[in-house]
Amino acid sequence: MKPYVFITRKLPEEAIKPLLEKFEVHMWEHEAISVPRDVLLEEAAKADALFTMLTEAIDEELLTAGKNLKVIANMAVGYDNVDVAAATRKGIAICNTPDVLTDATADLTFGLLMTAARRIVEAAELVKQGNWQNWSPLFLAGKDVHHKTIGIVGMGKIGETVAKRATGFDMNILYYNRTRKPEAEEKLGAVYVSFDELLSKSDYVVCLTPLTPETRGMFSREVFRKMKSSAIFVNAARGAVVDETALYEALMAVEIAGAGLDVFEREPIRADHPLLTLPNVVALPHIGSATLDARTDMMQLCAENIEAILEGRAPKTLVNREWLTRVRS
């Protein structure tokens, strides 16, 4: 029998053509509705491979149910929804989709920064609602981006690409990361600083750090108090790195000037969430990599990783390197 692949969202068949040609493939029938947990567990129990989204919890329960699982391809760079250690113990390869979405996510991140700085959403809505009645010298005046200081927290590939965008605006670039990036410093003029120094000096604090036990809730009320009162906070990483109550309180107390958010602790965010009541918050529905090109590339990379594993080859983007060592030993 052909290996069985379950895909947790409805995808264009062209993007997963190799899988359809070589394996038995079943897709959840909805594009915009998450697969129910009970269905996912049932499918995992008979699947050789899972093609998942970041909305699915790939935990011990699911991995135990998947007795035949050889690979899980997660359509995201981050894999905080996956218990990687448990998967490795069970001999299951975990793959993600780095690189192919770097530029798209960096574009969105910088666009979010500019949108929050220049009050673009406020201005667009004012026009649409028929409230543009006059003009004054400080009418919808925002903040300059050019020649200001951007502080990037999490200087991975996306962070470096955002920094590259910032050079076009003659921005001063600070960054904080677990490890220094000498090449980024040389090529982009980025300056490595402590977290506290970044907070105190940046006009724009951009969060691009992965979600880990160490980074969960790292942007607390104390952290926001260390930022300039004129600063804008941008988060295009994961919602849970931010204490959302603390962010709301900081904005209400004018401890920071505004926020641009593409991610939230719980997604989709509730329409009555306090952050959404504030005019100086730009909120997007987690669309960092949402271009047709990037999303298609992500789908194809997931398909290629599954195909490789099921055919006995090393995948292109393996998260748990220990798995490869075990397979080869």
Side-chain angles (χ1 to χ4, degrees), residues 110-326:
F110 206 83
L112 187 53
L113 181 155
M114 293 190 67
T115 300
R118 294 301 303 270
R119 303 174 65 181
I120 290 173
V121 171
E122 284 182 78
E125 288 303 310
L126 181 138
V127 172
K128 286 186 176 181
Q129 293 167 8
N131 294 326
W132 183 19
Q133 304 297 329
N134 211 325
W135 183 91
S136 65
L138 294 178
F139 176 58
L140 282 168
K143 298 180 180 297
D144 280 338
V145 174
H146 60 87
H147 297 112
K148 297 298 184 180
T149 297
I150 183 173
I152 300 172
V153 181
M155 196 69 155
K157 291 182 179 179
I158 296 172
E160 288 188 30
T161 308
V162 169
K164 183 179 179 181
R165 306 291 187 266
T167 62
F169 287 79
D170 296 317
M171 298 185 82
N172 302 310
I173 303 167
L174 306 179
Y175 78 97
Y176 171 74
N177 199 57
R178 287 179 299 178
T179 56
R180 289 189 68 163
K181 296 295 186 73
E183 288 188 12
E185 294 174 17
E186 183 178 349
K187 291 181 181 179
L188 304 170
V191 178
Y192 178 79
V193 294
S194 69
F195 187 45
D196 283 352
E197 186 175 353
L198 181 146
L199 295 172
S200 66
K201 291 184 175 179
S202 297
D203 299 297
Y204 300 93
V205 175
V206 178
C207 177
L208 291 165
T209 187
L211 177 61
T212 67
E214 293 73 29
T215 62
R216 183 177 293 274
M218 71 180 291
F219 282 92
S220 62
R221 186 70 184 279
E222 180 184 359
V223 165
F224 289 121
R225 284 185 174 129
K226 293 178 180 179
M227 292 169 56
K228 294 180 178 181
S229 60
S230 58
I232 288 175
F233 174 68
V234 176
N235 186 14
R238 287 290 186 267
V241 302
V242 178
D243 179 336
E244 292 179 349
T245 300
L247 174 58
Y248 175 77
E249 291 172 349
L251 289 162
M252 288 295 291
V254 200
E255 290 169 353
I256 63 173
L261 309 171
D262 186 42
V263 290
F264 300 89
E265 187 172 4
R266 294 189 179 183
E267 297 177 353
I269 189 172
R270 302 186 327 268
D272 62 350
H273 193 289
L275 282 170
L276 302 188
T277 67
L278 303 179
N280 55 344
V281 171
V282 177
L284 303 180
H286 202 150
I287 57 170
S289 62
T291 69
L292 290 173
D293 288 342
R295 289 286 169 87
T296 299
D297 288 344
M298 292 167 72
M299 295 173 198
Q300 291 175 342
L301 181 53
C302 282
E304 289 169 7
N305 282 327
I306 289 172
E307 180 184 11
I309 294 286
L310 295 183
E311 292 184 342
R313 294 179 281 110
K316 288 186 174 182
T317 54
L318 182 66
V319 171
N320 50 347
R321 300 286 180 181
E322 302 90 340
W323 172 88
L324 190 58
T325 302
R326 289 181 55 177

Side-chain angles (χ1 to χ4, degrees), residues 37 52 56-64 72 74 78-94 319-320:
R37 179 69 175 180
T52 60
E56 279 87 53
I58 311 302
D59 53 15
E60 184 87 36
E61 179 188 30
L62 184 139
L63 295 167
T64 299
I72 297 172
N74 200 47
Y79 41 87
D80 44 277
N81 60 312
V82 181
D83 188 335
V84 177
T88 304
R89 289 197 307 271
K90 295 176 184 296
I92 302 169
I94 302 297
V319 171
N320 50 347

Side-chain angles (χ1 to χ4, degrees), residues 100-112:
V100 295
L101 50 66
T102 297
D103 282 302
T105 305
D107 287 348
L108 188 283
T109 302
F110 206 83
L112 187 53

